[in-house]
Amino acid sequence: MGTADLACPSLRVLAAHAGCEIVSVLTQPDRAAGRGQSLHSSPIKQCAMELGLPVFQPVSLRNDVVQGELIRLQPALVVVVAYGLILPPQVLELPKHGCLNVHASLLPRHRGAAPIQWAILEGDTETGVTIMKMDEGLDTGAIISMEKTVIEKDDTSQLLHDRLAQLGAKLLIQSLPGYLSGEIKAKPQSQEGVTYARKITKDDGCVDWGLPAEVLQRRVQALIPWPGAFTSMPFEEKPLLKIWESSVDDVNGVPGTIMEASDERLLVACGEGALGLSVVQREGARKMPFRDFLRGCSLKAGMVLGKC
């Protein structure tokens, strides 16, 4: 069971394993997207079709007909990675070996929908992947295995996501034999250090220049590729400016004030220090180095950038 890109490496390693028969791939229904609102398949559906695997796309798992289909399939084990639907007790109890979840954090830290983004937002120095046996709680199941990785200084959510997706697939295939044989025993999660990584919204991308530059730098990196960190320029048309790359400077000034507009960067004062914007994107345009952006934009030192 999976929907997002994070699930694809795990599906591929399971499909390639000689001792594993995948009886079905469950993913969310196709969604309308883009200007034309045409239907788009999830990344895991595309992956499953490439592998020639059967795909099932229920709207909910609480439906009797859907549960009847799962009973017919008689899965020995269900693996869940970034699926996006709640598994009711009837589904959790169906497989002989239960339901295992590949979660992109070191549980119990960052339970919830956006553990990768919040690990960066919170300034964590490390994160990782946890394989857990699912229960009815939100990422509260007993831990099968866990592996750590360092969060590098230049990691964005996209870079960290890709690394954790591969790490999760590797840990899953390494853990399954011991789990299925009973050699690996699931251990309850600690009750200490619990945090929740709520879902990211577009509003999270709005830059508050009163915050410290280091905090805003993490926001830029944590919100790539979506929704991005963005600010408003003092122009009437297409005022929003998305920040793709930035750096921290220790100079100080009035928050939101442009301190420098050069070929190299746009330096903006923050609550503490300043943020140098080096790659940006205006509404409806492509992202570009600031030196290219400045040729068609009249931002100057002394102007003030605002909230979105």
Side-chain angles (χ1 to χ4, degrees):
M1 298 182 180
T3 299
D5 284 308
L6 188 76
C8 291
S10 290
L11 177 60
R12 290 188 184 278
V13 298
L14 290 173
H17 195 278
C20 177
E21 177 193 0
I22 299 177
V23 295
S24 186
V25 176
L26 272 70
T27 187
Q28 292 198 44
D30 295 355
R31 307 290 189 191
R35 293 183 179 180
Q37 290 294 287
S38 57
L39 288 178
H40 287 256
S41 301
S42 70
I44 204 70
K45 179 180 178 180
Q46 296 173 35
C47 180
M49 293 177 69
E50 290 173 11
L51 296 169
L53 298 171
V55 176
F56 184 29
Q57 296 178 270
V59 175
S60 169
L61 298 180
R62 299 186 183 278
N63 183 291
D64 289 342
V65 175
V66 171
Q67 292 179 16
E69 174 63 14
L70 294 179
I71 292 171
R72 185 190 68 78
L73 290 170
Q74 295 184 315
L77 174 73
V78 170
V79 174
V80 183
V81 192
Y83 183 33
L85 290 183
I86 294 174
L87 275 61
Q90 298 91 325
V91 175
L92 291 171
E93 297 166 4
L94 175 62
K96 175 183 177 180
H97 296 287
C99 301
L100 297 188
N101 178 238
V102 181
H103 185 78
S105 83
L106 301 174
L107 292 172
R109 185 162 177 79
H110 300 314
R111 294 173 178 173
I116 299 174
Q117 292 93 329
W118 283 103
I120 296 176
L121 285 168
E122 294 293 332
D124 293 1
T125 57
E126 65 178 11
T127 185
V129 174
T130 302
I131 310 292
M132 68 171 175
K133 187 172 183 181
M134 298 176 69
D135 58 19
E136 293 184 53
L138 177 63
D139 299 326
T140 56
I143 294 174
I144 305 299
S145 57
M146 183 181 290
E147 188 160 339
K148 298 178 180 180
T149 185
V150 173
I151 299 179
E152 304 291 350
K153 185 177 181 180
D154 58 351
D155 268 337
T156 64
S157 281
Q158 186 64 63
L159 289 172
L160 191 54
H161 166 281
D162 294 348
R163 193 158 75 248
L164 291 175
Q166 296 297 330
L167 185 63
K170 176 184 173 184
L171 185 62
L172 174 65
I173 210 68
Q174 288 177 344
S175 304
L176 277 180
Y179 169 71
L180 295 173
S181 69
E183 182 181 348
I184 297 177
K185 304 294 184 182
K187 298 179 180 179
Q189 290 187 34
S190 171
Q191 297 305 306
E192 298 180 359
V194 176
T195 65
Y196 290 93
R198 66 166 175 80
K199 184 178 180 180
I200 295 294
T201 69
K202 189 173 182 179
D203 289 343
D204 289 314
C206 184
V207 171
D208 178 356
W209 294 107
L211 294 173
E214 288 188 359
V215 172
L216 294 181
Q217 164 80 341
R218 294 201 301 266
R219 186 169 296 269
V220 170
Q221 293 176 228
L223 301 183
I224 290 174
W226 188 90
F230 44 89
T231 185
S232 64
M233 300 181 290
F235 308 126
E236 291 185 4
E237 294 186 6
K238 298 183 178 180
L240 289 186
L241 184 68
K242 185 174 181 178
I243 307 165
W244 282 91
E245 292 183 18
S246 62
S247 59
V248 174
D249 199 302
D250 59 4
V251 298
N252 290 290
V254 179
T257 303
I258 297 174
M259 305 177 71
E260 173 190 328
S262 66
D263 284 348
E264 297 302 318
R265 64 179 182 173
L266 183 74
L267 187 64
V268 185
C270 305
E272 293 178 20
L275 197 67
L277 285 52
S278 53
V279 178
V280 296
Q281 180 179 15
R282 193 169 188 172
E283 289 180 84
R286 61 181 178 85
K287 68 177 182 179
M288 61 185 70
F290 187 72
R291 69 175 71 88
D292 297 335
F293 176 81
L294 196 58
R295 294 191 185 106
C297 183
S298 55
L299 284 177
K300 298 177 182 178
M303 290 182 173
V304 178
L305 302 182
K307 291 188 176 181
C308 318

